[in-house]
Amino acid sequence: MPQHTRPARPICPNCDGFASAAIATGLRLTDGSRDTVPVNCPACHGTGTGTAPARRALTTTRR
């Protein structure tokens, strides 16, 4: 059976690890190529990694 491994660093929950994208503006440059704007994820600033979710503390209640 294959074993599942977890990623070494936590993946950003906002961009799912795809931190940068090139968005076409709809315009063309003089050489005929498309004009693009590079955009980074605002949460992870283009790194693709985020902070690990905080663990909840286990509490016990006595009745």
Side-chain angles (χ1 to χ4, degrees):
M1 272 177 29
Q3 296 200 6
H4 301 283
T5 58
R6 297 180 70 166
R9 288 187 238 154
I11 296 173
C12 175
N14 293 331
C15 65
D16 292 330
F18 296 96
S20 296
I23 299 176
T25 62
L27 302 175
R28 291 200 180 258
L29 299 176
T30 56
D31 63 353
S33 62
R34 294 200 180 266
D35 187 22
T36 59
V37 177
V39 180
N40 291 331
C41 173
C44 66
H45 305 289
T47 61
T49 59
T51 58
R55 290 189 170 195
R56 290 186 178 179
L58 295 176
T59 58
T60 58
T61 57
R62 295 186 185 224
R63 294 184 182 192

